[in-house]
Amino acid sequence: MKKNQTSRWTIWLAIVAVLSIILSACAPVATPVSLTEQPVSQPVEKQLVVARDMDLDTLDPHHAWSGTGQIVIKAMYDQLTNIDPNDPSKVLPYLATEWTISEDALTYTFKIREGVKFHSGNILTSEDVRFSIARMKNLKGSPAFLLDGMESVEAPDASTVVVKLVTPDASFLSKMSCQYMGIIDSKVAKEHGATDAVDADTTDTAQAWLDENSAGSGPFILESWTRNQDIRWVAFKDYWNGAADVDSVIMRDIKDITTQRQQLERGDIDIAMNIDPDTAKELQSNPNVVIKQQRGYNQVYIGLTGIEANNKDLATNQKLRQAISYAIDYDGLINFVLAGNAERAATIVVNGFLGADKVEPIQRDLTKAKQLMDEAGFPNGIDLDIFYPNATYYGVDFSVVIQKVQSDLAEIGVRLNPNPLASTVYLPKYKAGKLSMVLSYWEPDWMDTSTLIDSFATPTSLVAKRLGYVNEENGVLSAQALIETDPEKRAEIYGQIEQNMIDDAHLIGMIQPNVVLAYSAKVSNYIYNPAYTLDLYSIHKED
Amino acid sequence: MGSVVIRRLFTLIFTLIGASILTFVISHTIPGDPLAAILGERAMNNPEIVANYKARWGLDRSLPEQYGIYMLNILKGDMGQSISSQRPVLDDLKQYFPATIELALGSLTVTVFGGLVLGVIAALYHARWPDHLVRLIALWGSSMPVFWLALVALQIFYAKTGWFPGPGRLDSSFTPPPTVTGLFVIDGMISGDWGVVKNALYHLVLPSLVLGWYELGLIARTMRSAMLETMTADYVRTARGKGLKEKLVLFRHMMPNAMLPTITVIGLAVGGLMAGAVMTETVFAWPGIGRYAVDASELLDFPAIMGVTLLIATVFVVANLLVDLAYSFLDPRIRTE
């Protein structure tokens, strides 16, 4: 092919054009500093930037149910009570300054804090509290079950709220600290369609408005929520407990752990909420980043056995279940497989909850396990299916845990056949009791042992029913614990239930994963809050 | 020309109906329960709450009934309520789609310009080093997974060197401009906030390159082989034989003919960009339709899955309609037919 001067010209032009595209992409724009560090739109202030994989459904506290909701709803709405972040079994006054409980433990009378302002400027009264509790119950949204045992709520005067229960519930004050029990500004909310009427589930239209505005008395006022992008707040200067240290907060929705890590290292974010233990280890050498591990209150356990799965061996043979519980190498699992990033929980009652220290967790004992296998009638071993969500919860990769359990159980002749399932497939099957043996997870709904006992231990418990676990004594003890007001005696009762659970071996307590905190060295006072995960109000940031 | 458009619009309707039935059946027959994903375990145990949710989302009806209701509502312009975001799917799409359009426009620029130019260069320097280089670039782009490319790009150009901003559409210190089009660059211009415009453009570069690279390789290779074919064509030899300048031969005879197969690939590339957006948007924390689709499918949010599918199907059909029109514009033979 013959080429003249012109064609070469054209080709060179083309090459220059492509190179310039590539270069303009790969090289820094002439003045990158001015692009990133001198925003025109907003004056510089003390801004806290949090990155989180956000699973936020709504900002309406009485409709919401999500992990991220714990943080963002707490930022805008106050509750009657609060949980001591260092001891989740302790309930502290918050919007309620004090309370009295009637002799029969059925009537709670709260004194409401005076002079508390809503974001609108309205003063918070007992009517707002009554309205909020009634709306929450009547909306029948996801968190409405928290009020299942409530008979009535009344506001006899401007600073008093009286709640009557159907049955005694020693955990009621703890439930009142849940972020979903947020008190909303009833005047403002009603103007936008909120109602506390019995038919609120069909007539209340305030959710869309509450997704864009905060109607609370909390430390932060909602500025905007752009789904999948970010949520922005400014500090509420008239907050009754004193304005927050930071002027504004942005929580950015960053799904990817690596991206969160990069942003933390670059100093573009102050707190990264989804750093896993492995990434945390790599970050440890960075002087601008603080890595801390704290006790978490979630749990990974083995459940035996699905009532509908009808596995007769597991269902009726207590010795077989016990053999399994003695064969697992818990220490090895936690220290080697999970690199020490977890604690051992003896039962579903996690360490730190009332009564957890009353029992000793089972330790691996192969001789005993083999003996139990013989007594159970399986000297030649048995084949068992185990089902689990094919996912990572609380930083624990379930498939890795399964491998370890599988090799541990092989030593006593239990041949485990692992069945990973997608979470949306796993949960409905497990809930229907169709899975004979599961590796599963749980997080407490409120910060009192009763939620765990109530969910797992009694014959009417939702998970116990699923597992076909019936222990009548636990039911009696649990009812006793709910009317027992002396914490030490309650702890003793829960201890008895826990011991029963260990002996019955329908549920094998395993892993209580630590929580990894990863944040900029400029941030202080960041502790993991068992009830709200991250209490934005407590955070301080250096300029 | 008009008949082409009308015929295509008919195709669009049938494509959408087909896509909707397929998606509806698939998303409803795979085992799983959206309520499990959104309600807490304890709330699931409360029959009143479950019944309330099922009624609210129409999950208590039969499958054909649900589909019928859905399609009737679509005709009324109602795409239903997303189960996970608890608001109309249309609102969600309106919010997320502009972010994807902005990213897709950025990528398309990289893809089309880069691909065409590289393809031409490779053909003109057939079997010499520029050709090999282009083929290498094309091979890289087509063979590396987008999410991996995204991670590496961020690691090098953001985390290590700081040349480019991190994930997201704007730095945290910027407030998004008032929404008019939803495209930050355009909205920034409208509101006269040039800081936002610059920052938004700056944020666009890395994800556009990453997302565009795959299709760039495809277009460059198509353009290259099409060019090679036209080079040996009779009309090119004739053009040269009658003494036409090489520049004119290239731009008047070779390129327009080589463009025809390439245009088809560009039409398909739009579909590829939509698919690639899913991973790119996740890594770059880009709040677009791709991320919305991921979230929706994880939670089995049927209305949202349907909404995204219909939207992407429409984009795909419209892109191919534009390709057909471009075809008849570029090729007089098709125009007269």
Side-chain angles (χ1 to χ4, degrees):
Chain A
M1 187 174 63
K2 201 183 127 199
K3 286 197 197 68
N4 59 24
Q5 284 302 102
T6 334
S7 81
R8 276 174 202 280
W9 226 110
T10 322
I11 292 155
W12 279 114
L13 253 185
I15 289 179
V16 170
V18 171
L19 279 182
S20 63
I21 290 177
I22 291 172
L23 281 180
S24 71
C26 298
V29 179
T31 51
V33 178
S34 72
L35 284 175
T36 48
E37 287 176 12
Q38 290 173 8
V40 201
S41 338
Q42 213 173 291
V44 178
E45 49 174 27
K46 207 195 267 188
Q47 185 185 53
L48 182 78
V49 186
V50 180
R52 182 178 169 89
D53 179 359
M54 279 159 72
D55 58 331
L56 198 51
D57 46 1
T58 169
L59 300 185
D60 183 338
H62 306 144
H63 266 301
W65 189 266
S66 66
T68 307
Q70 294 184 326
I71 307 164
V72 306
I73 289 170
K74 180 66 183 166
M76 300 180 286
Y77 296 90
D78 287 333
Q79 293 71 24
L80 287 185
T81 60
N82 205 3
I83 291 292
D84 183 343
N86 298 311
D87 180 0
S89 62
K90 233 188 243 164
V91 180
L92 307 173
Y94 213 58
L95 281 184
T97 50
E98 56 185 279
W99 49 80
T100 51
I101 307 169
S102 65
E103 283 281 316
D104 58 3
L106 288 175
T107 308
Y108 285 71
T109 309
F110 296 95
K111 275 283 162 225
I112 306 301
R113 190 176 292 278
E114 285 180 15
V116 173
K117 267 191 191 167
F118 281 116
H119 299 162
S120 63
N122 293 340
I123 299 290
L124 184 146
T125 67
S126 59
E127 169 56 20
D128 296 304
V129 177
R130 188 206 61 76
F131 177 86
S132 301
I133 295 176
R135 177 174 186 257
M136 162 100 149
K137 177 156 180 80
N138 292 331
L139 275 182
K140 302 182 185 79
S142 309
F145 73 88
L146 290 168
L147 295 172
D148 273 353
M150 187 182 80
E151 189 177 284
S152 67
V153 54
E154 276 155 28
D157 66 57
S159 62
T160 311
V161 171
V162 180
V163 179
K164 289 209 168 85
L165 305 181
V166 184
T167 47
D169 181 0
S171 71
F172 183 69
L173 290 172
S174 182
K175 284 180 185 170
M176 282 290 133
S177 73
C178 278
Q179 63 281 358
Y180 308 112
M181 299 302 314
I183 306 306
I184 67 173
D185 187 336
S186 62
K187 286 194 199 81
V188 171
K190 277 183 200 162
E191 281 168 24
H192 294 93
T195 171
D196 62 336
V198 183
D199 59 354
D201 55 330
T202 51
T203 54
D204 185 291
T205 54
Q207 189 182 354
W209 188 81
L210 286 168
D211 278 344
E212 286 168 10
N213 304 273
S214 50
S217 61
F220 295 96
I221 304 173
L222 181 69
E223 206 175 49
S224 67
W225 173 31
T226 315
R227 287 171 169 83
N228 282 0
Q229 183 173 310
D230 58 27
I231 173 161
R232 293 166 183 249
W233 297 277
V234 290
F236 180 33
K237 296 296 173 201
D238 288 337
Y239 189 51
W240 62 270
N241 206 9
D245 178 63
V246 293
D247 299 309
S248 65
V249 179
I250 297 186
M251 185 182 276
R252 302 185 64 170
D253 194 352
I254 313 278
K255 266 201 171 345
D256 194 76
I257 295 177
T258 317
T259 315
Q260 285 195 8
R261 173 204 169 158
Q262 291 168 340
Q263 289 201 297
L264 184 62
E265 287 190 292
R266 296 285 317 166
D268 285 348
I269 57 171
D270 300 307
I271 294 175
M273 297 208 67
N274 300 96
I275 298 296
D276 58 9
D278 288 341
T279 312
K281 213 177 270 170
E282 293 165 23
L283 275 170
Q284 231 137 20
S285 56
N286 189 327
N288 302 321
V289 174
V290 181
I291 297 289
K292 258 202 313 202
Q293 287 216 14
Q294 262 186 279
R295 169 181 278 177
Y297 296 91
N298 304 321
Q299 155 134 226
V300 177
Y301 66 90
I302 286 180
L304 306 160
T305 170
I307 184 133
E308 293 291 324
N310 205 14
N311 184 317
K312 289 228 165 48
D313 298 324
L314 283 174
T316 54
N317 204 325
Q318 183 184 3
K319 293 229 155 88
L320 172 63
R321 298 194 303 265
Q322 283 178 340
I324 292 172
S325 74
Y326 277 101
I328 298 170
D329 175 17
Y330 305 96
D331 289 344
L333 179 64
I334 288 170
N335 294 330
F336 300 109
V337 180
L338 302 173
N341 299 312
E343 291 178 50
R344 169 76 199 288
T347 66
I348 196 65
V349 180
V350 282
N351 301 315
F353 272 50
L354 189 71
D357 52 359
K358 298 291 173 197
V359 287
E360 278 299 316
I362 284 181
Q363 298 301 335
R364 184 177 216 211
D365 186 341
L366 274 180
T367 328
K368 186 163 183 181
K370 281 176 186 156
Q371 188 192 332
L372 282 165
M373 281 297 279
D374 288 343
E375 289 170 20
F378 300 102
N380 300 322
I382 181 174
D383 291 285
L384 290 175
D385 278 319
I386 187 161
F387 300 84
Y388 59 99
N390 193 12
T392 296
Y393 286 96
Y394 326 128
V396 175
D397 184 341
F398 275 34
S399 54
V400 173
V401 173
I402 284 286
Q403 282 172 22
K404 170 73 178 153
V405 173
Q406 194 182 15
S407 71
D408 289 347
L409 293 189
E411 292 186 45
I412 59 162
V414 172
R415 295 171 292 272
L416 214 52
N417 174 30
N419 295 277
L421 299 171
S423 304
T424 41
V425 179
Y426 167 80
L427 262 187
K429 284 199 172 178
Y430 179 36
K431 283 173 181 172
K434 287 182 179 153
L435 306 177
S436 56
M437 181 176 183
V438 294
L439 180 73
S440 204
Y441 57 95
W442 191 263
E443 41 208 281
D445 290 315
W446 62 88
M447 291 297 123
D448 185 88
T449 309
S450 62
T451 175
L452 300 168
I453 297 300
D454 189 34
S455 306
F456 284 87
T458 75
T460 54
S461 300
L462 77 136
V463 185
K465 279 199 279 190
R466 201 184 285 172
L467 295 174
Y469 174 38
V470 185
N471 184 316
E472 299 292 347
E473 191 193 7
N474 284 354
V476 178
L477 289 169
S478 166
Q480 270 177 29
L482 280 179
I483 45 174
E484 180 57 66
T485 44
D486 177 17
E488 188 44 41
K489 284 186 189 153
R490 268 187 91 203
E492 292 291 345
I493 300 173
Y494 284 138
Q496 286 177 44
I497 300 179
E498 288 159 50
Q499 192 55 54
N500 286 345
M501 291 183 80
I502 291 175
D503 296 339
D504 297 332
H506 272 278
L507 182 139
I508 303 173
M510 297 227 299
I511 305 161
Q512 183 176 345
N514 289 343
V515 175
V516 176
L517 304 184
Y519 54 98
S520 151
K522 285 184 185 166
V523 168
S524 58
N525 219 16
Y526 174 22
I527 55 166
Y528 170 71
N529 189 305
Y532 315 117
T533 317
L534 162 63
D535 185 2
L536 290 170
Y537 179 60
S538 67
I539 303 286
H540 288 248
K541 189 187 166 184
E542 265 174 53
D543 280 322
Chain B
M1 187 83 88
S3 66
V4 172
V5 177
I6 292 169
R7 235 185 303 147
R8 277 289 162 168
L9 287 180
F10 261 111
T11 324
L12 173 64
I13 293 168
F14 286 112
T15 310
L16 290 183
I17 291 176
S20 68
I21 292 178
L22 213 66
T23 318
F24 203 86
V25 171
I26 291 175
S27 61
H28 281 77
T29 43
I30 53 171
D33 183 354
L35 292 190
I38 50 166
L39 283 180
E41 285 219 30
R42 290 184 64 93
M44 278 294 282
N45 205 38
N46 184 324
E48 209 178 345
I49 295 176
V50 170
N52 179 30
Y53 262 78
K54 282 200 168 164
R56 194 170 169 190
W57 307 115
L59 297 171
D60 48 356
R61 315 247 171 107
S62 74
L63 200 58
E65 216 178 330
Q66 284 186 47
Y67 180 74
I69 294 172
Y70 183 81
M71 288 314 275
L72 278 178
N73 286 336
I74 286 267
L75 291 179
K76 293 184 220 150
D78 175 8
M79 303 185 85
Q81 289 259 330
S82 154
I83 298 176
S84 54
S85 77
Q86 306 195 359
R87 64 172 189 167
V89 172
L90 203 57
D91 286 0
D92 282 346
L93 295 180
K94 268 188 211 156
Q95 187 200 319
Y96 299 130
F97 197 44
T100 301
I101 293 183
E102 196 166 42
L103 179 59
L105 285 179
S107 312
L108 217 55
T109 314
V110 172
T111 307
V112 173
F113 281 97
L116 290 184
V117 173
L118 288 177
V120 170
I121 290 175
L124 293 179
Y125 285 88
H126 180 49
R128 277 183 281 162
W129 69 264
D131 184 20
H132 298 318
L133 186 67
V134 168
R135 282 198 298 176
L136 197 65
I137 293 176
L139 191 68
W140 268 349
S142 322
S143 51
M144 277 185 295
V146 166
F147 75 92
W148 184 82
L149 209 57
L151 285 174
V152 170
L154 273 177
Q155 185 64 23
I156 296 174
F157 297 109
Y158 165 64
K160 289 292 171 221
T161 60
W163 290 352
F164 283 94
R169 297 176 78 187
L170 281 178
D171 286 355
S172 299
S173 47
F174 285 93
T175 314
T179 307
V180 182
T181 59
L183 277 62
F184 281 2
V185 176
I186 310 255
D187 287 353
M189 286 178 185
I190 292 173
S191 63
D193 194 340
W194 296 100
V196 164
V197 176
K198 273 199 250 176
N199 195 262
L201 274 174
Y202 199 32
H203 272 263
L204 256 174
V205 178
L206 269 191
S208 298
L209 275 177
V210 165
L211 181 53
W213 196 353
Y214 175 78
E215 307 292 347
L216 176 143
L218 217 60
I219 290 174
R221 284 189 301 185
T222 315
M223 190 64 188
R224 175 180 172 275
S225 56
M227 280 292 286
L228 287 176
E229 221 168 279
T230 56
M231 273 175 178
T232 53
D234 293 344
Y235 54 85
V236 170
R237 201 180 47 211
T238 313
R240 287 212 181 98
K242 66 183 184 186
L244 214 57
K245 281 184 181 166
E246 193 60 30
K247 192 168 74 175
L248 279 178
V249 175
L250 177 66
F251 285 110
R252 297 275 313 170
H253 292 277
M254 283 157 64
M255 277 183 63
N257 281 296
M259 283 291 275
L260 291 176
T262 315
I263 291 278
T264 314
V265 177
I266 293 176
L268 293 173
V270 174
L273 287 182
M274 291 287 156
V278 172
M279 289 320 296
T280 317
E281 287 179 0
T282 303
V283 177
F284 280 95
W286 201 268
I289 212 88
R291 274 206 54 189
Y292 182 59
V294 172
D295 290 348
S297 53
E298 274 176 9
L299 297 175
L300 285 184
D301 185 345
F302 307 131
I305 295 173
M306 292 293 293
V308 172
T309 313
L310 291 183
L311 180 66
I312 292 184
T314 311
V315 169
F316 203 71
V317 174
V318 169
N320 282 294
L321 172 66
L322 291 178
V323 164
D324 281 1
L325 294 180
Y327 242 94
S328 39
F329 175 76
L330 283 173
D331 192 344
R333 287 169 299 186
I334 292 181
R335 220 180 307 163
T336 47
E337 273 169 27

